Amino acid sequence: MELTCLHNKFNFPSLPHLSRPFFKNPNPRVFPRKINILFLASASDTVVASSIKELGSKKDDEFGDLKSWMHRNGLPRCKVVLNESTSHDEKHMPVHYVVASDDLPAGDVAFSVPNSLVVTLERVLGNETVAELLTTNKLSELACLALYLMYEKKQGKKSFWYPYIRELDRQRGRGQLAVESPLLWSEEELAYLTGSPTKAEVLERAEGIKREYDELDTVWFMAGSLFQQYPYDIPTEAFPFEIFKQAFVAVQSCVVHLQKVPLAQRFALVPLGPPLLAYRSNCKAMLSAVNGAVELVVDRACKAGEPIVVWCGPQPNSKLLINYGFVDDDNSYDRLVVEAALNTEDPQYQDKRLVVQRNGKLSVQVFHVYAGKEKEAVFDMLPYLRLGYVSDPSEMQSVLSSQGPVCPVSPCMDRAVRDQLADYFNRRLAGYLTTLNEDESLLSDPNLNPRRRVATELVRLEKKILHACLQATTELIDELPDCVSMPCTLCPVVEMKES
């Protein structure tokens, strides 16, 4: 999520139970201990049950809710409260979300969270240089933040962050529809995304999380002073991969991305921020750093009791689903990606490569097809595809000497170009398990499984884009005179890629 930049370093006062400043200790003491792990979202019913028992315990009343804890630790008076929405699964706790406590005019400050209640990598490691070293090597900021919170979780109520971690446990990485990221779905549930490039993206992201897990011990040995206060095993022995993945996904769902700040401050965990805030693609409200705090200024009038919404950044729905567990039907940034490539076996490949570069394209070109702008995308693809069909050397010389992306192809060759594009869109649509009409029928069922619902919403929006592209291409074919498509053995390759 792209947010207002942070111009000054965070200055954090000393707080109880926080990590000490970093200094290298290559041999931290390790005290093996029997593990009883629960952190954030879990696919295990047993773990879920114990989580509910813990979260609902009267012994936790001493801490109050998240907002009460924040007020006791420096949060000034704000104009929001926490409401809850019933979970689709009775085994799960309700999802909390932030609503206005007063009528807010546009431009009003809803809340201002002091830096002392914000977690960044600089705070976790205590040394910006080392933070940069870790995050430019094999570990991301999210992995380091997840590991830090996992160890803090094992501290239980001794941890300063216990009320915040308890809230993350409650949210379980769920988005606005109370649905976890597909990174936590089963294979059967991922099948809902069959035909969508998002499925491959989920699997690729999961592999990346596994690679980071395999590097977790690097943090342990490099930041020995940080973890010396935790009398537990090294990360990969203390936390199974599934637990780390759940923590990673939960951090991913709530992290705020700050722009134009030092690397160690770039990702921040802000209580009262995501996922308690509702994301919208069409609003302008953003969290920003002001005078030692992170504040939210609303971009629209908001009545008391209404959810507070923020901009989720220019992300397509595939990213919204993976990161936050929801899709936005009114997302002007939603898009599919079509990749076309010149045929490297073409004897005139080098000349064609020169032409496309001269016109601002590449030999392997990515075309972004935005929702509502499908016809423009099709028009953008056609000159590129026509070039691939040019086979006569004299015609190629004419293209080289001309200005602009104009290729002298015959009507029959042009039909072949448009037919290839239409066939591509038809193949993409045929790759889904359901039709657009079947999707609409599924979504009309109020008892539809929540994960199936959000997956269906995603593929339905993808199909609408593809249908619009197909319609635009068919209309262009109908404009041509009747003729037989000319075969092309060296035509460009067209593929669908992740957005």
Side-chain angles (χ1 to χ4, degrees):
M1 184 173 74
E2 298 188 5
L3 300 171
T4 302
C5 58
L6 188 62
H7 297 290
N8 300 307
K9 284 187 179 181
F10 283 156
N11 259 327
F12 294 106
S14 297
L15 290 171
H17 310 300
L18 295 183
S19 59
R20 289 169 285 177
F22 171 87
F23 63 88
K24 188 172 181 180
N25 179 1
N27 296 301
R29 295 181 63 194
V30 178
F31 300 88
R33 180 174 293 186
K34 186 177 180 181
I35 306 168
N36 182 14
I37 302 170
L38 163 66
F39 184 79
L40 305 171
S42 173
S44 167
D45 289 342
T46 302
V47 174
V48 169
S50 62
S51 176
I52 292 176
K53 183 178 180 180
E54 176 185 350
L55 291 171
S57 173
K58 292 183 179 179
K59 294 181 180 179
D60 289 340
D61 291 348
E62 60 187 280
F63 293 95
D65 64 13
L66 175 68
K67 190 165 172 284
S68 299
W69 167 75
M70 294 178 69
H71 281 304
R72 291 196 303 271
N73 288 279
L75 177 70
R77 183 188 181 280
C78 56
K79 301 175 182 178
V80 300
V81 293
L82 292 179
N83 274 8
E84 64 179 41
S85 175
T86 304
S87 174
H88 296 289
D89 191 331
E90 62 181 12
K91 294 183 294 185
H92 297 174
M93 295 292 289
V95 174
H96 278 159
Y97 61 100
V98 171
V99 300
S101 59
D102 309 310
D103 290 346
L104 303 179
D108 201 359
V109 177
F111 60 75
S112 181
V113 178
N115 288 349
S116 58
L117 292 172
V118 176
V119 184
T120 64
L121 199 60
E122 182 181 46
R123 176 169 195 152
V124 170
L125 297 177
N127 182 292
E128 184 178 328
T129 302
V130 176
E132 291 188 6
L133 174 64
L134 286 172
T135 54
T136 53
N137 188 11
K138 296 181 180 180
L139 288 166
S140 69
E141 295 95 330
L142 298 188
C144 293
L145 290 171
L147 181 60
Y148 174 71
L149 290 182
M150 280 165 38
Y151 276 115
E152 284 292 319
K153 167 72 178 182
K154 291 175 75 70
Q155 295 282 77
K157 296 179 183 179
K158 294 180 181 179
S159 170
F160 171 77
W161 300 107
Y162 172 76
Y164 180 44
I165 293 173
R166 184 180 61 171
E167 185 64 37
L168 295 182
D169 274 337
R170 184 188 190 104
Q171 296 300 115
R172 300 174 56 85
R174 290 174 287 177
Q176 297 170 48
L177 300 177
V179 174
E180 296 91 342
S181 163
L183 288 165
L184 300 177
W185 294 6
S186 66
E187 288 186 18
E188 292 77 10
E189 290 167 331
L190 281 179
Y192 301 150
L193 298 173
T194 298
S196 169
T198 306
K199 183 179 180 180
E201 191 173 355
V202 170
L203 297 175
E204 182 180 352
R205 182 85 65 91
E207 291 175 359
I209 295 173
K210 180 60 168 67
R211 287 192 296 269
E212 294 206 64
Y213 173 77
D214 293 337
E215 296 293 331
L216 283 184
D217 294 349
T218 301
V219 186
W220 174 273
F221 290 111
M222 291 186 67
S225 62
L226 166 63
F227 299 112
Q228 197 172 41
Q229 64 178 307
Y230 303 120
Y232 308 109
D233 294 339
I234 60 176
T236 55
E237 294 180 10
F239 305 106
F241 170 64
E242 284 303 315
I243 295 297
F244 172 72
K245 183 167 74 169
Q246 292 156 15
F248 187 99
V249 171
V251 168
Q252 170 186 269
S253 72
C254 61
V255 75
V256 173
H257 190 188
L258 301 170
Q259 299 291 330
K260 298 180 181 179
V261 295
L263 184 61
Q265 300 172 6
R266 185 172 61 176
F267 287 94
L269 301 177
V270 184
L272 291 185
L276 300 176
L277 296 172
Y279 280 130
R280 291 291 183 273
S281 300
N282 60 358
C283 80
K284 298 179 181 178
M286 298 186 295
L287 292 169
S288 58
V290 179
N291 298 325
V294 177
E295 72 174 27
L296 174 64
V297 177
V298 296
D299 71 325
R300 63 195 68 188
C302 187
K303 293 188 178 298
E306 290 183 348
I308 302 293
V309 298
V310 294
W311 186 48
C312 55
Q315 302 184 67
N317 280 323
S318 58
K319 293 291 191 295
L320 296 182
L321 177 59
I322 294 174
N323 293 335
Y324 314 116
F326 82 103
V327 298
D328 188 348
D329 198 47
D330 186 27
N331 185 0
S332 61
Y333 302 98
D334 196 22
R335 66 176 183 265
L336 292 178
V337 173
V338 176
E339 185 180 277
L342 296 175
N343 195 318
T344 56
E345 301 298 322
D346 190 337
Q348 301 181 94
Y349 170 77
Q350 293 300 335
D351 286 340
K352 293 180 179 181
R353 181 168 172 266
L354 181 62
V355 171
V356 297
Q357 288 178 341
R358 191 176 65 190
N359 288 280
K361 298 289 192 295
L362 300 171
S363 56
V364 179
Q365 179 61 38
V366 169
F367 295 93
H368 294 285
V369 185
Y370 284 90
K373 298 182 179 180
E374 295 86 355
K375 192 169 186 177
E376 292 90 334
V378 169
F379 274 111
D380 193 29
M381 296 177 203
L382 287 176
Y384 189 95
L385 297 178
R386 289 190 186 107
L387 179 65
Y389 280 75
V390 175
S391 57
D392 188 283
S394 62
E395 291 180 350
M396 193 64 237
Q397 288 304 311
S398 175
V399 173
L400 284 169
S401 61
S402 66
Q403 298 295 321
V406 178
C407 295
V409 295
S410 66
C412 291
M413 190 66 79
D414 205 11
R415 173 176 285 273
V417 172
R418 301 179 191 192
D419 282 346
Q420 181 191 5
L421 199 54
D423 288 343
Y424 164 75
F425 293 130
N426 275 315
R427 281 188 287 106
R428 290 305 312 164
L429 288 166
Y432 291 96
L433 296 178
T434 56
T435 65
L436 198 53
N437 288 336
E438 289 170 336
D439 291 340
E440 299 289 356
S441 178
L442 281 170
L443 293 173
S444 66
D445 179 5
N447 298 316
L448 185 65
N449 175 283
R451 294 184 180 183
R452 181 67 184 272
R453 178 175 296 280
V454 73
T456 302
E457 288 176 344
L458 176 74
V459 298
R460 177 180 67 93
L461 293 171
E462 290 179 351
K463 291 172 199 172
K464 290 177 74 172
I465 293 176
L466 291 170
H467 273 291
C469 287
L470 179 59
Q471 180 179 349
T473 305
T474 302
E475 290 173 355
L476 290 172
I477 292 173
D478 292 341
E479 293 175 358
L480 293 172
D482 291 337
C483 61
V484 179
S485 295
M486 299 291 289
C488 177
T489 58
L490 298 173
C491 57
V493 178
V494 184
E495 297 179 346
M496 180 72 77
K497 295 294 181 181
E498 293 82 4
S499 57

